[in-house]
Each structure stands twice: as C-alpha cells, then as structure tokens.
Amino acid sequence: HDRFLQVYELTFDVSVFSFFMPLLVGACCYVLPDTGIKFMKTVEYLQQHKITVLSMVPGVLNYLESYLPEIYLPQLRYSFFSGDALYHLLAVKWNRSVTNAVIHNFYGPTETTIVGTRYIFDEKRSAEESVNGIVPLGKPFEGMEFLIVDEYNVPVEKGELCFSGTQVIAGYLNGTHEEQFFNCNEKRYYK
C-alpha cells in the first residue's frame, strides 16, 4: 500500500531506487512532472498523493527550509536522504514536518552500488554525533567493510574513506583508474 515519489533525474544513479523498489514490494510510484518548480512540486505531490516513501537529496531541504514550519506530512513513513551532506539543523526541521517518518541518511558513491552506509536519524543522538553540523554517515551495510587510509593506503584514524564488499565494483572498464583501488588484508578496496 506504499506510495513512492520519484524526484530524481533518470541520469542520477539513485533514481533506480525510486523506480525499482516499488516494483519489488508491489507499491505505487509517482513521478514528478517536468513542469513547475521542482521542490514546490515535490511538496505538492507529497501532500496530494499522500506519499509514504520519499528519497531525495538533502539539498532540497535548503529550498524548503522557510516553508517547513507550514509543511505537515503525517502519512510519510520513510524519508531517505543521499547524494549530499545532510545538515543536522535541517534534519531537525524536516523531522517536525514528517512526524511519523523514520529518517535515513545514506552515503556511498556510485561504485558501491549507489549507497553503502546508513544512519537512522535521532535528533538527540545526531546532535551529539554530528561533525561540523552534518548528520553522521552511519554504519556500513551487511557485506560491506570500510577503511580510512592515508595517502599511502595505510589505515589511519583521519583520512580517505574506502570501501570493500560484495556491492563494491572490482574495477573500471578496461582497467582504467586503477589508482582508485588497493588491496589490504587480502581485500580489494575502492578509494
């Protein structure tokens, strides 16, 4: 009985979630029209079609911020964010508009089959765990591992985030950009 809203351009990899997930669970998929102001159409469709599952980039909240006190979406059950940093203060304001929704912050480059980590937003916990006002990336999905490495691919506490696991690509076509990959502890990582 869920109703998904597809807000992404089809060239954006995360758009596949909004199209294929409804098919997997027998839900409806509503698609934003090409006309009008996109972020306003998003709110209109959320209200008009009583959308229950929404995935969008956090940047949309920047456009909606001044309207959030007037937006109330009690039917929304799941609110997924990915593709950019989710700021804690905006997540708090959004949370007040979507009182029955669980807010998920996802992270991952296309090479991790779109996303590879998840953080379930909780206002108090996020306030404590946020760095520079950004909601944490969360924990890796099952079957995913991460390392933080320095410029020599040596594990460190602060550095570049790298992924390994079943949903991470093994390499690029024709072996290009091999510098994006390295082996550590008998596992191949993507930088």
Side-chain angles (χ1 to χ4, degrees), residues 93-154:
K93 291 176 183 182
W94 176 247
N95 196 35
R96 293 183 182 133
S97 295
V98 297
T99 55
N100 296 318
V102 178
I103 298 173
H104 297 255
N105 186 38
F106 289 104
Y107 171 78
T110 302
E111 291 81 358
T112 62
T113 316
I114 306 174
V115 293
T117 69
R118 176 184 70 167
Y119 182 87
I120 298 175
F121 180 78
D122 172 89
E123 185 174 339
K124 184 177 187 288
R125 189 169 50 95
S126 175
E128 295 166 359
E129 297 174 348
S130 290
V131 176
N132 297 325
I134 298 172
V135 174
L137 300 180
K139 295 182 179 180
F141 293 170
E142 188 175 320
M144 293 279 290
E145 293 184 33
F146 73 91
L147 275 179
I148 298 173
V149 299
D150 64 14
E151 63 271 17
Y152 305 106
N153 300 331
V154 175

Side-chain angles (χ1 to χ4, degrees), residues 52-68:
T52 61
V53 182
L54 172 66
S55 176
M56 64 182 181
V57 294
V60 173
L61 295 180
N62 292 324
Y63 295 111
L64 294 176
E65 184 174 14
S66 62
Y67 303 101
L68 287 177

Side-chain angles (χ1 to χ4, degrees), residues 170-178 181 188:
Y172 291 109
L173 187 63
N174 299 323
T176 59
H177 303 291
E178 193 59 27
F181 301 89
R188 185 166 171 87

Side-chain angles (χ1 to χ4, degrees), residues 4-189:
F4 285 65
L5 182 60
Q6 200 315 93
V7 301
Y8 301 111
E9 297 295 325
L10 295 180
T11 55
F12 190 31
D13 57 5
V14 79
S15 70
V16 299
F17 170 83
S18 298
F19 276 120
F20 292 119
M21 191 54 69
L23 290 173
L24 288 171
V25 298
C28 294
C29 179
Y30 293 83
V31 180
L32 284 183
D34 287 338
T35 59
I37 300 170
K38 191 170 189 172
F39 70 91
M40 295 306 287
K41 282 291 183 188
T42 298
V43 172
E44 180 184 315
Y45 267 55
L46 285 166
Q47 293 171 332
Q48 179 183 358
H49 299 292
K50 296 186 178 1
I51 300 298
T52 61
V53 182
L54 172 66
S55 176
M56 64 182 181
V57 294
V60 173
L61 295 180
N62 292 324
Y63 295 111
L64 294 176
E65 184 174 14
S66 62
Y67 303 101
L68 287 177
E70 303 165 28
I71 297 171
Y72 181 59
L73 303 165
Q75 71 285 351
L76 194 66
R77 298 179 342 110
Y78 296 102
S79 179
F80 302 120
F81 289 100
S82 64
D84 201 355
L86 175 60
Y87 286 91
H88 174 78
L89 292 178
L90 282 174
V92 167
K93 291 176 183 182
W94 176 247
N95 196 35
R96 293 183 182 133
S97 295
V98 297
T99 55
N100 296 318
V102 178
I103 298 173
H104 297 255
N105 186 38
F106 289 104
Y107 171 78
T110 302
E111 291 81 358
T112 62
T113 316
I114 306 174
V115 293
T117 69
R118 176 184 70 167
Y119 182 87
I120 298 175
F121 180 78
D122 172 89
E123 185 174 339
K124 184 177 187 288
R125 189 169 50 95
S126 175
E128 295 166 359
E129 297 174 348
S130 290
V131 176
N132 297 325
I134 298 172
V135 174
L137 300 180
K139 295 182 179 180
F141 293 170
E142 188 175 320
M144 293 279 290
E145 293 184 33
F146 73 91
L147 275 179
I148 298 173
V149 299
D150 64 14
E151 63 271 17
Y152 305 106
N153 300 331
V154 175
V156 292
E157 200 158 307
K158 262 187 171 175
E160 185 170 3
L161 180 60
C162 306
F163 288 99
S164 179
T166 55
Q167 69 183 63
V168 180
I169 65 169
Y172 291 109
L173 187 63
N174 299 323
T176 59
H177 303 291
E178 193 59 27
E179 70 279 0
Q180 292 297 120
F181 301 89
F182 68 96
N183 293 316
C184 183
N185 299 326
E186 299 180 21
K187 294 179 183 159
R188 185 166 171 87
Y189 284 85

